[in-house]
Amino acid sequence: MATVAHAAGAARVRAKPSKLHREQVFWAYVFLLPWIIGLIVFVSGPILFSLGLSFFNYTLGSEASFVGLDNWIKAFTQDELFWPTILRTFVYTAVVVPLSVFGALLVAILLNQRLRGTTVYRTVFFMPHLAPTVAAIFIWLWLLNPQYGLINEIIFQIGYHLTGTGFKGPGWFGDPAWALPSLMLVALWAAVGGNMMVIFLAGLQGIPQELYEAASIDGANSRSRFWHVTVPMISPTLFFNSVLACIVAFQTFEVAFIGTRGGPAYATWLYGLHIYQTSFQFFDMGYGATLAWILFIALSFFTFLQFRSFRNWVYYAGDAR
Amino acid sequence: MAQGAATLPREATSPRTMRKPRRKVGALLRRYGLHLIAIMIGIVLMLPFYWAVISSLKLGTEVREIPLLWWPRVAQWSNYADIWNVRFFPLWVWNSIFLTVVATTGTVVSSSLAGFAFARFQFPGKNLLFTLTLATLLLPAYVLLIPNFMLFWKLGWLNTYLPLTVPFWFGQAFFIFLFRQFFMTIPIELDEAARIDGASYPRIFWSIVLPLSAPAFATAAIIEGINQWNSFLRPLIVLNQPETYPLSVGLRYFVVNPGDNLPKDHLLMAAAVFMTIPVIVIFFVGQRAFVRGVVMSGIKG
């Protein structure tokens, strides 16, 4: 009898957390309900839908017809803008990401020197990142105006003071050779003091001071302290920032759309513009979805590569690996 | 300074006291050099703002004057009154405010609920769902934009504000993650004590977690508020009636549609500055919360 009572008691003890658990499960799903609906209706549903859409010829409002892989083949073999656009977007990314990531790191290192007035510097450096992209582009268009912009005036004045005749500045957004560099300039301006810099700064402040002291005692000069203490310790942050910066750079749209409309002579026709024009100006949804999926696959692959190289150069302090 | 003072005793006991003054001069030079670099970076980064503000205060006839004017002869503050007469500018400002407030509120409410569930509950499928949530952070926007656009079209939502507000009431991965990270720093013992006192989970969320999470809510509201205020692509594809545009899309009309043929650059610059000011003000008000949020999402990511 005693054992039965004991068993019943144990069962009751066990039943109690299970009731608690049931209640937790119930409330978890209640709290998550909006997000689960959002995930299905606005995220995962649309992803699958757009994959399916890429196998159809479908212009908004007309009949859809199944075309198999035609859209995919078209992108790689028939669309004359496709490869140049991919290349251009790669060039843009390959320039903007390293420069902005290392620029942000250098600025963060500068701000980590415990200079008087660091708060003021940090706020000033962060300001470009705060300017709404649209407003920033219009400001830069005007700043880089070949005739009436401040930059070409400065270039002219420098020439005037050095040689007696003014230097002629480039045509910036209006010159096919300079248009893409102009967009890069705007992106760099917004990025070097922005979120990445703030994240780096926090990472730098998390490096234990003893490491630097130990390195100094071992005779490391400031350069080797940077490469052998700062860089390894900051590498997880470096990695995080690089991955996100690539994802953002690949999708660049506003700067190219407002700044140059992709021109002159397609000089700034980035991949985002190609998708935009296909989907939202020609309303060719099938092909637009294909282009979007190619971007998705390329980005996933690229991120995967970054994660694979991750193990080789990212160092986690306190990690057993 | 404190560092220098701390190393002083060691230097004094060291036999090479001869080097001390030179090293101090070197440190001083280095310090001034760093200030110089910082100031120069600051000037370069501020240049566009300088040029925008200066241009916005010039007369319409001064903006394209050669040689360039580095300073307006008389600051034309009236330009900031004149922009309100350009096209639908007052409407654009109002639309932007409305969309920003509604969408931001939705994001904060729905994301904090989901963040709470991930931080506090054990339930089947939690890991899978959380991984999915993080994975959506890496999705390119276009993959979603095209089918979402078709959905809005099917629902007859194009040219309304529904596509620009409703989806934001269903959570966003970044903010869910942000809230989860913050809620996990609140001791769970507080919840347990409240449970013993008979509080329900919604009650715990409302009266215990919420009051302790003001910084997280401020951070999310500021970041999403700025995102919404700057939002361009979505309204661009969804709306096609100029009077319904938010400011970000309407700004183009200062260039695209000058009306007469006079240069309107001073007004465009005034409008651009006008659009930037609220962002900077909000940033200054919530700077600490904002920086903490960026750091929290970045470091622990």
Side-chain angles (χ1 to χ4, degrees):
Chain A
M1 286 299 265
T3 45
V4 172
H6 184 77
R12 245 180 48 213
V13 171
R14 231 180 293 133
K16 230 176 163 184
S18 127
K19 179 176 164 265
L20 178 75
H21 185 66
R22 266 207 309 271
E23 207 188 326
Q24 278 211 4
V25 172
F26 171 76
W27 282 110
Y29 286 115
V30 171
F31 275 90
L32 279 169
L33 194 63
W35 174 233
I36 292 174
I37 295 174
L39 204 57
I40 294 169
V41 176
F42 297 115
V43 185
S44 41
I47 291 177
L48 295 177
F49 184 79
S50 70
L51 178 62
L53 196 60
S54 74
F55 302 112
F56 284 86
N57 185 0
Y58 176 66
T59 306
L60 202 66
S62 70
E63 278 296 305
S65 59
F66 183 79
V67 292
L69 285 172
D70 278 10
N71 284 327
W72 294 78
I73 295 165
K74 178 184 168 190
F76 290 109
T77 59
Q78 290 156 26
D79 184 346
E80 280 172 8
L81 286 174
F82 182 78
W83 288 113
T85 304
I86 294 263
L87 183 68
R88 202 174 293 121
T89 310
F90 262 108
V91 169
Y92 176 84
T93 306
V95 172
V96 166
V97 171
L99 284 183
S100 61
V101 169
F102 282 100
L105 179 59
L106 290 180
V107 171
I109 288 172
L110 179 67
L111 289 186
N112 198 32
Q113 302 297 316
R114 299 196 184 80
L115 293 178
R116 207 178 274 251
T118 293
T119 345
V120 179
Y121 289 137
R122 192 188 66 195
T123 311
V124 168
F125 294 173
F126 198 75
M127 216 77 95
H129 182 79
L130 283 176
T133 316
V134 181
I137 297 160
F138 284 122
I139 292 174
W140 272 90
L141 276 171
W142 182 232
L143 186 77
L144 293 178
N145 185 300
Q147 270 181 288
Y148 309 105
L150 185 61
I151 297 296
N152 276 7
E153 168 75 4
I154 292 174
I155 291 173
F156 180 88
Q157 291 290 344
I158 290 172
Y160 189 76
H161 284 100
L162 289 179
T163 64
T165 51
F167 290 152
K168 194 178 179 302
W172 299 112
F173 289 100
D175 182 337
W178 281 93
L180 199 60
S182 305
L183 298 190
M184 293 168 178
L185 207 59
V186 180
L188 286 177
W189 169 76
V192 288
N195 277 355
M196 284 199 292
M197 189 276 286
V198 174
I199 293 171
F200 275 135
L201 193 54
L204 288 172
Q205 283 162 357
I207 301 176
Q209 208 55 41
E210 299 88 65
L211 290 180
Y212 288 108
E213 285 161 19
S216 298
I217 289 168
D218 288 346
N221 60 16
S222 59
R223 191 193 299 164
S224 56
R225 280 201 302 264
F226 174 75
W227 285 110
H228 299 295
V229 179
T230 308
V231 169
M233 290 302 287
I234 206 87
S235 57
T237 317
L238 204 58
F239 175 75
F240 173 83
N241 274 339
S242 310
V243 171
L244 283 193
C246 282
I247 294 176
V248 172
F250 267 114
Q251 298 185 66
T252 303
F253 175 75
E254 271 106 334
V255 206
F257 180 75
I258 304 168
T260 52
R261 291 236 147 209
Y266 289 106
T268 54
W269 194 263
L270 295 175
Y271 203 75
L273 262 81
H274 201 45
I275 298 182
Y276 171 80
Q277 194 198 39
T278 308
S279 314
F280 303 115
Q281 289 189 310
F282 300 157
F283 297 107
D284 186 349
M285 293 300 173
Y287 189 51
T290 313
L291 290 174
W293 257 86
I294 291 172
L295 176 71
F296 183 28
I297 292 169
L299 263 181
S300 311
F301 181 66
F302 200 69
T303 310
F304 168 75
L305 282 186
Q306 282 175 307
F307 268 95
R308 276 208 35 194
S309 72
F310 172 82
R311 262 171 258 145
N312 300 329
W313 62 273
V314 174
Y315 169 78
Y316 270 108
D319 209 1
R321 276 181 299 174
Chain B
M1 287 299 258
Q3 239 186 344
T7 54
L8 207 62
R10 212 173 53 190
E11 292 269 352
T13 56
S14 111
R16 285 178 293 172
T17 32
M18 289 282 285
R19 284 184 61 185
K20 208 176 83 185
R22 209 202 297 165
R23 203 183 272 179
K24 253 194 165 167
V25 171
L28 210 67
L29 272 179
R30 183 174 162 274
R31 202 124 279 245
Y32 275 115
L34 289 176
H35 271 291
L36 199 67
I37 295 172
I39 290 168
M40 275 166 59
I41 295 175
I43 289 175
V44 169
L45 292 180
M46 283 296 113
L47 212 58
F49 290 117
Y50 161 79
W51 193 235
V53 172
I54 290 303
S55 303
S56 76
L57 294 174
K58 286 180 181 175
L59 278 171
T61 50
E62 282 175 329
V63 274
R64 284 173 184 242
E65 208 175 296
I66 289 183
L68 292 187
L69 290 179
W70 285 67
W71 206 256
R73 291 197 179 84
V74 180
Q76 303 294 322
W77 295 103
S78 58
N79 287 348
Y80 283 86
D82 291 347
I83 53 176
W84 293 85
N85 302 324
V86 176
R87 293 284 290 208
F88 303 106
F89 192 80
L91 274 177
W92 294 338
V93 173
W94 165 247
N95 297 340
S96 268
I97 293 173
F98 175 80
L99 289 173
T100 301
V101 169
V102 175
T104 304
T105 312
T107 300
V108 169
V109 170
S110 55
S111 304
S112 64
L113 290 175
F116 182 73
F118 282 127
R120 283 298 198 255
F121 297 130
Q122 294 305 325
F123 55 92
K126 179 177 173 177
N127 285 337
L128 176 72
L129 201 57
F130 191 61
T131 311
L132 272 180
T133 305
L134 290 186
T136 63
L137 282 174
L138 302 174
L139 283 177
Y142 301 104
V143 181
L144 304 179
L145 209 54
I146 294 167
N148 275 333
F149 179 82
M150 290 175 62
L151 176 70
F152 301 144
W153 173 75
K154 252 297 186 263
L155 292 170
W157 283 12
L158 293 186
N159 268 314
T160 71
Y161 283 162
L162 295 173
L164 305 175
T165 50
V166 173
F168 296 98
W169 283 82
F170 293 91
Q172 277 190 63
F174 173 79
F175 296 104
I176 293 172
F177 180 63
L178 191 79
F179 278 114
R180 172 192 176 262
Q181 297 294 88
F182 191 91
F183 292 153
M184 283 174 71
T185 64
I186 299 173
I188 197 155
E189 287 78 19
L190 291 177
D191 296 29
E192 282 160 2
R195 289 289 303 164
I196 291 166
D197 291 346
S200 64
Y201 284 110
R203 179 73 195 275
I204 290 173
F205 178 70
W206 184 255
S207 342
I208 294 176
V209 173
L210 211 73
L212 289 172
S213 308
F217 280 87
T219 306
I222 290 171
I223 297 178
E224 178 65 359
I226 292 176
N227 283 348
Q228 290 292 341
W229 180 258
N230 299 348
S231 168
F232 178 78
L233 182 54
R234 243 172 201 268
L236 178 74
I237 62 171
V238 162
L239 305 171
N240 63 21
Q241 304 294 316
E243 64 270 25
T244 64
Y245 286 166
L247 194 49
S248 55
V249 180
L251 217 51
R252 283 189 305 155
Y253 279 79
F254 279 87
V255 202
V256 174
N257 216 343
D260 48 35
N261 265 331
L262 295 171
K264 288 265 196 300
D265 305 287
H266 58 307
L267 294 186
L268 174 63
M269 286 304 109
V273 171
F274 176 87
M275 190 183 170
T276 309
I277 286 171
V279 181
I280 290 178
V281 168
I282 285 180
F283 174 74
F284 269 103
V285 171
Q287 189 174 7
R288 284 181 55 192
F290 185 87
V291 170
R292 190 170 34 220
V294 170
V295 168
M296 223 163 70
S297 63
I299 289 301
K300 294 170 186 170

